[in-house]
Amino acid sequence: MSRLARLLPSERRQRQLTRAMEIALVGLLFIGLERGNPGIIVNTGVALAVIQLPAILQRDYGLPMDARLTLWISSAAFLHAVGVVGIPGMGWTFYKGLWWWDHVTHSLSASVVAAAGYATVRAIDIHSDDVQIPPRFAAVVILIFVLAFGVLWELLEFAIGISADLFGIQGILTQYGVEDTLKDLTFNTMGGLIVAIWGGIYLTDLSSAISEKIGVR
């Protein structure tokens, strides 16, 4: 067992944490519905949909989504939603009140995107004898993939922000300017680097399962 694995909570505790985040989001969603707040409804609804992805991938596609991967994906969705929504009654959100919240969520979300990219690239490498992807090149591909996704996400934030202003909707997504965008892309890169370094250790089973699915197709 690796040192990192020993530092993590038990599998049972990881599943409990995931379920607790899901219940908290359901509670926030009902608050949003009761108050008619589009920002709370959209962000908690999307986060709840993302949290369901691991179970769907495992049930419908047979991909090994253990408690660690499920908690990883769920944490990214949960922290982003809670950061945008905040705690009803506080009068401020975590994104606005805690300077480091945005950096944590962007790094975590980018690491999830990078993990998906790594698992897919590695699966293609395993499946095809005609495709040979050296580990160092795979790391570069992951970083480019994360940066591209980060740019698309920032453009989406701008588009949603402009649309929300036009329709008078507040609290869906907020853009804080060019400087904030550059910081977001920096922390996206950090999240991608983490996966580029350790992805081979923790995503091997998922890559192999995707490779098998490609073979069946």
Side-chain angles (χ1 to χ4, degrees):
M1 182 183 296
S2 67
R3 292 181 180 180
L4 180 59
R6 287 196 294 267
L7 292 174
L8 292 173
S10 65
E11 181 176 330
R12 180 170 177 269
R13 183 65 65 187
Q14 290 176 49
R15 296 191 184 281
Q16 288 175 340
L17 288 171
T18 299
R19 182 52 59 88
M21 288 187 286
E22 188 174 2
I23 292 172
L25 287 172
V26 170
L28 287 174
L29 177 61
F30 276 106
I31 290 174
L33 291 170
E34 189 272 332
R35 297 184 178 182
N37 187 312
I40 296 178
I41 295 170
V42 171
N43 284 284
T44 54
V46 171
L48 282 168
V50 172
I51 287 179
Q52 306 309 312
L53 279 178
I56 294 172
L57 291 173
Q58 181 165 320
R59 183 190 66 234
D60 296 346
Y61 299 96
L63 299 180
M65 304 297 295
D66 60 19
R68 180 179 56 205
L69 285 173
T70 301
L71 180 61
W72 184 4
I73 295 170
S74 299
S75 297
F78 175 79
L79 292 177
H80 172 69
V82 172
V84 174
V85 173
I87 298 176
M90 289 180 61
W92 56 276
T93 66
F94 292 107
Y95 273 123
K96 293 181 179 178
L98 301 175
W99 64 267
W100 47 266
W101 191 273
D102 188 41
H103 305 330
V104 171
T105 56
H106 270 274
S107 298
L108 187 57
S109 298
S111 70
V112 172
V113 173
Y118 177 91
T120 302
V121 169
R122 180 61 182 148
I124 294 172
D125 185 28
I126 295 171
H127 170 72
S128 177
D129 294 332
D130 297 327
V131 178
Q132 298 294 328
I133 305 176
R136 290 184 180 179
F137 182 72
V140 173
V141 171
I142 290 168
L143 290 178
I144 293 175
F145 182 73
V146 169
L147 287 173
F149 185 87
V151 170
L152 289 174
W153 177 257
E154 295 300 325
L155 291 173
L156 179 64
E157 282 190 350
F158 275 112
I160 291 176
I162 293 172
S163 300
D165 289 341
L166 289 175
F167 290 99
I169 302 174
Q170 300 295 323
I172 295 181
L173 279 176
T174 304
Q175 253 293 337
Y176 297 102
V178 176
E179 183 179 352
D180 178 70
T181 297
L182 292 175
K183 288 181 180 179
D184 289 346
L185 293 175
T186 299
F187 283 93
N188 287 349
T189 304
M190 291 176 61
L193 279 171
I194 292 172
V195 174
I197 294 171
W198 285 294
I201 300 174
Y202 297 104
L203 299 169
T204 301
D205 291 343
L206 181 59
S207 298
S208 298
I210 295 174
S211 177
E212 291 178 5
K213 292 297 178 181
I214 294 174
V216 171
R217 297 289 181 183

